[in-house]
Amino acid sequence: MRGLGIAMERQASVLKRPLWTTRELLTAMVIAVVFGIAVVSSTYLYAAVLGLGIFARSAATGLFFLPAAFAAYVLRKPGAVLLVCVVSGLVAIPFTPYGLLVLGIGGLTGAIGELATWIVTRYRDFGLPRLMATGALAGLIEFGSVLASSLRSTPLTPALVVLATALSVGAFVVAALAGYALANAVQRTGVLANTALGREQMEAQ
Amino acid sequence: MIALEHLTVRYVGRRQPALADLSLTLHPGETTLLLGPSGCGKSTLALTLNGLIPHSQDVATFSGRVMVNGCDTRATPPSSLAPQVGIVFQDPEAQCVMWNVADEVAFGPENLCLPPEEIRRRVGEALAAVGMAGWEGASAWQLSGGQKQRVALASLLALRPRVIVFDEPTAHLDPQGVREVFAAIAALKQGGDHTLILIEHRLDELMPMIDRVVVLGARGELIADGAPHAVFNAHFDDLRALGVWLPQVTLLGARLGLRPLPVTLEQAELALRAYVGSAFHPIGNGHQPEFRAANGPAAIEAHALTYRYGAREALREVSFAAPEGSLWAVIGSNGAGKSTLARLLAGLLPLREGALVIRGRDARRLSARDWSRAVGLVFQNPEHQFVAATVRDELRLSARAAGLDAGRREQRVDELLERFALARYANANPFTLSHGEKRRLSVATLLITDQPILLFDEPTFGQDQQNAQAIQALLASLRAEGRTIGVITHDMALAAHAQHVLVMHQGRVLAQGAPESIFADADVLRRAQLLLPPIGELGMRLGLRPLPLTVEAFAKLAQTPAYA
Amino acid sequence: MLERRNPLSKIVAVTPLMAIAALAGDVYLPLALTGLALFTLLVGGVAPKRILGALIPLALVALGFLMLYPLIVRRELVMHTPAIARIGDLVIYAGALRFGLVAMARVLALVSLSLIFSLTTPVDDFVRALVQQARVPHRVGYAALAALRFAPLLRDELAQIRAAHRVRGLARSGVVGELAQARRALVPLLASAIRRAERAALAMDGRAFGAYPQRTYLRRVTLDWADVGLALLLWAAAAAIILALQALGWLGPLSFVQRV
Ligand SMILES: Nc1ncnc2c1ncn2[C@@H]1O[C@H](COP(=O)(O)OP(=O)(O)OP(=O)(O)O)[C@@H](O)[C@H]1O
Ligand SMILES: Nc1ncnc2c1ncn2[C@@H]1O[C@H](COP(=O)(O)OP(=O)(O)OP(=O)(O)O)[C@@H](O)[C@H]1O
Ligand SMILES: [Mg+2]
Ligand SMILES: [Mg+2]
């Protein structure tokens, strides 16, 4: 059934399609824009998150991973996570007092998230367990990168280092879960019918 | 030349094809009007003409073929289709993609890798062709809807296509924007170099330009094809049964029993002059048929309301009285302050300056809860109001928010499901309903507490005829229950049905009163940048007073003894 | 003045300064760099009001750092410094406070430096520069431009959705209420944004978007001597600051590891 559907589409347009169609590019990017304006640049969240100092990065990067998980789950394409994180950062630049730094956080999260997504899902299996595993792995890598990039965490007590790691992993797993739940809620509205997720669900029925 | 040969298109996930075995030839230089009921495949047809289907939009079936100047679209890359066929879409916001006008118009030529000097020349020419010369540096946010649509047209003209398709280009515009876009289309037609395909529902204004009418049936099959006069006369009853938009003057002609049916305003004018003949009494015969300004107690009274967003004044000393139990319309161009007024009346914005009396009570003394029980506001886009996963949960949520106790809640929800004919969809996701059903649900979620005053912000915006009519019927039935219904609208035909009209411009009230007198005042119309509804225009030309604005009003007038 | 500089050159100019600020181990260097950044912004023609608008929330955050650090720093590192306050069992050491001060100064410097870019660069110019000069694929860049253009529209729409929910009596106050409201608003907002994206994609493809591997440009992003000059001036000023602090003995260690 699946094979047949795909075969018919391919036959309809004899031209070669780009890896990312315009529709997919724009879909991924508006997801980033929506989260950029609704979440990332929410002053409330920033104040709360950045007031936490050293833990800021872990939680903030987890936040960036939410739209990325959403887009990866919906589009199932290499590059979605990176793209979404970077664009979220771009959107947030004018709306946050953090300027270029948001873009840096976005790029870092994107690279980490993309790596974790590639390792865990191979862009094929996007079931809930794998999404959570992706989040956990991304959280670990991200905290690893904190340790590696700045040994500043040394002045912290060991208990706090453990706490920060847990926070980082937790933030990413929660982000993955939230992205998954939200994508399913949006899927029920029918607007994702033309995406990989929409097609998969249609074939499942 | 474009030829569709046995074209069948079926979307992924759909059982029925959107277009079924359609064969059609479009000739160079011809202006074709494409008609059909909602969902019959008009937009789908448009997308096949420049290869967006199948190149950009996945479809499950694409059989037969579309030939553009001898090339099969399936095998022709966008780089050579785009310079032949361009489409202006409905939504001005979604089709202007760059940040300023020059970049927007240059977008297509840049994609074709034209040299910069050539691009610059084309940008200038294209903007001049739509009357937007000199706007190169303007940012997309500075433009009105009508200007955006004209820029969208210019951005296609820069690719120099010979065929241009307009898919409901005015559905999202205020009357001034409609006028601008029609003027731009007329200029193209005048030039004589272009083949135009129009999908539109404001037919009266367009009719003089149309050479040919093509009608699709509900299943995407060809029903009629020919010159407008011939098609409307030969198929009138079928078209009406199908729910296709028809020119208002044609509907009027049918109502008055004219043969042949008039299709343009000129034809109608001619026919009616002959019809009423010498018994025709222009202006002021003292006879007042059913028109009357609604008097009596006011549901809402406002005195000198002023509202500012920061330093920006959105409302200035707005005073009016909305008669109890009436259909009350607020009209005016974009940015006139209509939505701000609605929000103020619904208690969503703080009442800072001026006084507001709601059903005899000072609004400042009302508690938030009492206020929301008195006035309900239905937003333009019903989807914005939805938060739950099913229709029933949506209503339950409202019932809980309204503070109904548990037993009463379910009962009220069931009542509303019945009342709005939504019981069948109780477990469906609100977003998957049709436009009309969404609108009904959005009203239902609000009506939990049975507000006596309901305000609608642009309820028919971007809707097709069937939905527009269904919404009108809904408004009428809500009013029949004794409610006061306020509508903010750009749809002059809807405003024509009101008992009381408030005309706003730049935050002020320009005029208020019965629609017949408002629309008869050319000065007000010009200053508020409004249009007469087509029947009003006809009445004006015939010199009728009081001015009839709707087909029914005109027909009544024609049957009154004074004219017989 | 700064507005007209090449976006990428601005990034190249401030990045080394930000790196140095991030490495600083004492408060003077980051504070001097903050001063340099503010001076550059003012001279560059940025309205003081906008700078303040960005700095005030930032100052609050920095204050947060100052208060938090003394509480979480590892005790052995600062036990040898004098205790300055006692709250029950909790001892605040001067060394710990110093950690907080340094962290705060670093954040101030990082952010003010990045404002040189973000307050003076329209996002569309930045994306154009990325496409034309940094070889970001043009389809990706232009799709981003189209999507970013929706940001203000979607913000308006978000406001509308919230108002629509308020009318239904679904609004709750407080942080939890805010979060619940944000979550509720997301589904309609995403649905509408995704539909908009699909329509925009059709409008772009209908104008031959991505027809060829390259494209030409009506407006070219330029790089001129003023751009190079800006970078050189900033670097020279930073070098002068470092040398001066060194001479005064106020530079402090420049390293990843923070010592006391
Ligand atoms: N992307 C899509 N996926 C699935 N079905 C679609 C899609 N687009 C349109 N359809 C369906 O195909 C049919 C034809 O739609 P189309 O938009 O062409 O109609 P239309 O005549 O333009 O309608 P309207 O007057 O409402 O604009 C409808 O039943 C519609 O629901
Ligand atoms: N939230 C806001 N902040 C600042 N200005 C606003 C805001 N909302 C509206 N305005 C401005 O107030 C004026 C009136 O806007 P309003 O939305 O009431 O007009 P409208 O008549 O409803 O227009 P439209 O027909 O386009 O819906 C406009 O100039 C608008 O730009
Ligand atoms: Mg359509
Ligand atoms: Mg409005």
Side-chain angles (χ1 to χ4, degrees):
Chain A
M1 182 60 215
R2 181 188 175 111
L4 194 62
I6 302 290
M8 282 194 295
E9 281 162 35
R10 285 286 170 269
Q11 166 221 335
S13 170
V14 302
L15 304 178
K16 192 170 144 281
R17 289 210 179 185
L19 184 60
W20 276 77
T21 63
T22 311
R23 176 198 291 267
E24 287 163 336
L25 275 175
L26 276 171
T27 303
M29 285 169 174
V30 296
I31 290 169
V33 172
V34 166
F35 281 89
I37 60 170
V39 183
V40 177
S41 53
S42 149
T43 35
Y44 272 113
L45 267 168
Y46 254 81
V49 159
L50 280 148
L52 291 175
I54 181 74
F55 307 113
R57 257 187 61 187
S58 312
T61 44
L63 215 58
F64 268 93
F65 190 62
L66 204 172
F70 183 107
Y73 175 60
V74 167
L75 295 171
R76 310 180 170 204
K77 290 221 141 165
V81 173
L82 184 60
L83 200 65
V84 168
C85 288
V86 169
V87 176
S88 294
L90 275 179
V91 182
I93 289 180
F95 299 123
T96 55
Y98 304 97
L100 210 46
L101 294 180
V102 227
L103 192 57
I105 300 182
L108 179 77
T109 319
I112 291 168
E114 192 68 53
L115 181 66
T117 310
W118 174 65
I119 292 173
V120 179
T121 70
R122 300 285 161 149
Y123 307 112
R124 279 194 291 271
D125 183 348
F126 279 85
L128 185 55
R130 283 197 190 239
L131 270 175
M132 290 175 64
T134 306
L137 181 60
L140 277 175
I141 305 176
E142 137 51 275
F143 196 76
S145 82
V146 171
L147 280 180
S149 76
S150 86
L151 294 172
R152 286 190 195 292
S153 24
T154 44
L156 298 183
T157 57
L160 286 174
V161 174
V162 172
L163 186 67
T165 315
L167 197 79
S168 174
V169 172
F172 273 78
V173 174
V174 167
L177 272 175
Y180 174 83
L182 203 57
N184 284 325
V186 175
Q187 154 73 17
R188 282 193 288 274
T189 69
V191 298
L192 297 177
N194 286 304
T195 61
L197 173 67
R199 251 170 271 147
E200 186 196 83
Q201 304 241 326
M202 203 138 56
E203 270 150 24
Q205 280 164 16
Chain B
M1 193 195 72
I2 296 185
L4 279 64
E5 300 171 6
H6 301 287
L7 183 66
T8 299
V9 175
R10 184 171 62 84
Y11 284 101
V12 179
R14 295 290 165 126
R15 224 165 258 133
Q16 295 288 332
L19 292 174
D21 195 28
L22 185 65
S23 295
L24 188 67
T25 305
L26 298 166
H27 308 288
E30 208 171 45
T31 300
T32 305
L33 174 68
L34 189 58
L35 288 177
S38 176
C40 72
K42 302 182 292 293
S43 302
T44 307
L45 175 58
L47 293 178
T48 62
L49 297 181
N50 69 346
L52 285 172
I53 293 181
H55 297 318
S56 295
Q57 163 85 56
D58 285 335
V59 287
T61 313
F62 185 95
S63 67
R65 57 181 190 169
V66 179
M67 303 294 286
V68 174
N69 292 326
C71 303
D72 187 333
T73 54
R74 263 196 286 182
T76 313
S79 54
S80 56
L81 281 173
Q84 301 190 60
V85 184
I87 308 183
V88 178
F89 294 96
Q90 189 175 86
D91 183 354
E93 299 303 346
Q95 64 184 315
C96 288
V97 290
M98 292 292 113
W99 295 38
N100 78 35
V101 171
D103 288 332
E104 183 66 36
V105 182
F107 181 77
E110 285 180 356
N111 287 329
L112 294 182
C113 296
L114 298 177
E117 315 80 66
E118 170 71 9
I119 298 179
R120 188 155 298 117
R121 188 161 61 241
R122 288 191 179 202
V123 168
E125 278 171 16
L127 284 175
V130 298
M132 293 281 294
W135 285 80
E136 281 85 352
S139 94
W141 291 278
Q142 280 169 268
L143 304 184
S144 69
Q147 289 173 327
K148 278 195 193 117
Q149 287 298 64
R150 286 190 286 153
V151 169
L153 175 56
S155 68
L156 296 174
L157 292 177
L159 290 165
R160 310 227 166 116
R162 303 302 292 276
V163 181
I164 300 189
V165 185
F166 293 86
D167 190 351
E168 311 222 16
T170 66
H172 289 207
L173 303 183
D174 68 354
Q176 173 66 15
V178 174
R179 194 161 21 202
E180 291 170 10
V181 169
F182 281 168
I185 298 178
L188 271 191
K189 167 89 180 162
Q190 285 267 301
D193 300 329
H194 292 93
T195 307
L196 304 178
I197 296 147
L198 302 167
I199 303 171
E200 241 306 332
H201 64 257
R202 286 176 224 266
L203 302 183
D204 291 87
E205 291 92 329
L206 280 180
M207 235 43 227
M209 284 193 259
I210 306 294
D211 302 318
R212 176 182 176 191
V213 175
V214 171
V215 186
L216 298 185
R219 287 183 312 281
E221 76 284 15
L222 191 67
I223 289 208
D225 181 0
H229 202 262
V231 168
F232 287 130
N233 271 290
H235 298 276
F236 180 79
D237 294 322
D238 301 341
L239 297 188
R240 216 154 114 156
L242 211 53
V244 173
W245 289 98
L246 294 167
Q248 293 274 304
V249 293
T250 309
L251 291 172
L252 177 65
R255 180 69 185 271
L256 297 178
L258 301 183
R259 284 288 171 240
L261 292 171
V263 169
T264 62
L265 206 56
E266 280 69 29
Q267 289 169 1
E269 188 185 342
L270 227 77
L272 283 172
R273 280 197 196 285
Y275 178 77
V276 288
S278 55
F280 188 70
H281 287 270
I283 305 183
N285 54 7
H287 177 78
Q288 284 279 337
E290 273 210 75
F291 305 121
R292 28 138 205 93
N295 290 320
I300 305 179
E301 253 180 89
H303 301 284
L305 291 180
T306 296
Y307 191 84
R308 293 185 188 84
Y309 294 101
R312 180 175 204 150
E313 198 165 65
L315 293 179
R316 175 155 187 85
E317 307 210 333
V318 170
S319 303
F320 62 85
E324 178 95 50
S326 66
L327 179 62
W328 172 65
V330 182
I331 57 180
S333 53
N334 287 130
K338 306 181 297 294
S339 300
T340 306
L341 179 62
R343 287 176 184 208
L344 212 51
L345 299 185
L348 284 176
L349 294 175
L351 190 57
R352 296 209 186 93
E353 293 174 52
L356 189 60
V357 180
I358 294 174
R359 308 191 85 214
R361 294 170 66 188
D362 182 355
R364 282 209 171 77
R365 302 245 173 85
L366 287 177
S367 68
R369 163 160 270 182
D370 284 345
W371 196 332
S372 71
R373 284 182 177 197
V375 185
L377 172 59
V378 183
F379 282 76
Q380 180 187 41
N381 184 346
E383 289 183 0
H384 286 169
Q385 294 185 319
F386 299 156
V387 297
T390 70
V391 169
R392 181 179 286 279
D393 284 346
E394 205 69 73
L395 291 171
R396 278 189 186 139
L397 212 60
S398 276
R400 189 162 336 125
L404 295 188
D405 56 68
R408 187 78 186 86
R409 234 182 267 160
E410 283 305 302
Q411 187 194 341
R412 183 76 184 132
V413 167
D414 286 329
E415 268 170 36
L416 284 166
L417 285 174
E418 278 307 316
R419 157 89 177 74
F420 287 91
L422 290 168
R424 273 202 302 151
Y425 309 105
N427 294 318
N429 185 292
F431 281 80
T432 59
L433 301 178
S434 75
H435 280 296
E437 289 153 3
K438 277 181 198 157
R439 175 56 74 199
R440 295 209 298 274
L441 176 59
S442 76
V443 176
T445 57
L446 215 74
L447 265 187
I448 289 275
T449 49
D450 242 336
Q451 293 90 335
I453 302 172
L454 277 184
L455 306 175
F456 290 79
D457 199 344
E458 311 201 4
T460 55
F461 192 76
Q463 302 281 339
D464 61 46
Q465 177 166 36
Q466 265 173 349
N467 287 322
Q469 278 171 350
I471 290 165
Q472 247 175 50
L474 178 64
L475 296 180
S477 78
L478 289 169
R479 187 179 153 235
E481 292 168 4
R483 278 180 245 274
T484 307
I485 306 295
V487 283
I488 287 168
T489 186
H490 288 312
D491 181 355
M492 294 302 123
L494 178 56
H497 282 94
Q499 279 81 48
H500 192 79
V501 175
L502 186 70
V503 183
M504 295 192 58
H505 189 58
Q506 296 184 342
R508 293 164 191 266
V509 174
L510 260 192
Q512 52 184 318
E516 297 77 27
S517 60
I518 297 280
F519 282 108
D521 190 338
D523 190 45
V524 166
L525 293 189
R526 189 178 43 74
R527 277 166 61 207
Q529 303 181 328
L530 297 173
L531 288 176
L532 260 177
I535 298 294
E537 179 73 35
L538 179 63
M540 199 63 109
R541 290 191 187 191
L542 292 171
L544 302 183
R545 288 291 188 286
L547 191 64
L549 296 169
T550 61
V551 171
E552 304 84 73
F554 198 112
K556 270 200 194 110
L557 195 62
Q559 281 153 11
T560 52
Y563 295 100
Chain C
M1 203 314 247
L2 278 174
E3 298 252 356
R4 270 178 283 137
R5 298 283 66 81
N6 180 299
L8 299 183
S9 79
K10 277 185 265 188
I11 293 189
V12 170
V14 297
T15 311
L17 274 64
M18 288 172 70
I20 295 171
L23 295 181
D26 207 341
V27 290
Y28 304 107
L29 178 58
L31 286 183
L33 288 174
T34 306
L36 175 62
L38 296 182
F39 178 73
T40 311
L41 282 168
L42 285 172
V43 171
V46 181
K49 222 167 132 186
R50 294 186 63 208
I51 304 178
L52 273 182
L55 284 186
I56 287 173
L58 179 70
L60 293 178
V61 171
L63 216 62
F65 271 52
L66 186 61
M67 315 241 276
L68 192 71
Y69 252 76
L71 305 181
I72 60 174
V73 168
R74 216 157 70 201
R75 219 168 237 217
E76 316 80 276
L77 290 179
V78 293
M79 291 238 293
H80 59 278
T81 60
I84 51 174
R86 264 170 223 280
I87 312 161
D89 280 349
L90 202 72
V91 187
I92 307 275
Y93 295 98
L97 200 62
R98 198 168 177 81
F99 267 120
L101 275 175
V102 174
M104 180 178 105
R106 271 199 312 253
V107 171
L108 270 177
L110 280 175
V111 175
S112 350
L113 284 168
S114 84
L115 289 181
I116 294 180
F117 170 84
S118 60
L119 282 188
T120 65
T121 312
V123 177
D124 65 324
D125 283 357
F126 180 39
V127 175
R128 264 169 225 290
L130 285 176
V131 170
Q132 292 184 19
Q133 298 181 323
R135 299 180 181 227
V136 167
H138 71 91
R139 286 185 70 236
V140 174
Y142 272 69
L145 277 183
L148 289 170
R149 206 192 81 89
F150 291 155
L153 301 174
L154 290 172
R155 268 166 85 89
D156 286 352
E157 194 159 355
L158 180 60
Q160 293 233 352
I161 291 172
R162 286 170 162 242
H165 290 180
R166 219 148 13 107
V167 167
R168 289 189 57 192
L170 299 175
R172 296 281 172 274
S173 52
V175 176
V176 178
E178 285 278 335
L179 281 179
Q181 243 183 308
R183 189 190 59 76
R184 273 196 195 129
L186 271 176
V187 172
L189 191 61
L190 279 166
S192 140
I194 288 168
R195 273 200 214 112
R196 219 184 268 255
E198 297 194 331
R199 283 190 233 128
L202 285 178
M204 291 167 81
D205 282 347
R207 284 185 273 156
F209 182 56
Y212 299 106
Q214 337 75 35
R215 63 188 284 128
T216 50
Y217 302 100
L218 175 65
R219 289 197 288 150
R220 280 223 80 105
V221 179
T222 54
L223 183 72
D224 57 26
W225 283 110
D227 297 314
V228 179
L230 174 70
L232 292 180
L233 270 175
L234 278 177
W235 294 344
I241 288 173
I242 292 175
L243 288 177
L245 290 175
Q246 176 90 55
L248 290 167
W250 290 354
L251 185 58
L254 275 184
S255 80
F256 282 119
V257 188
Q258 189 159 5
R259 283 177 235 104
V260 180

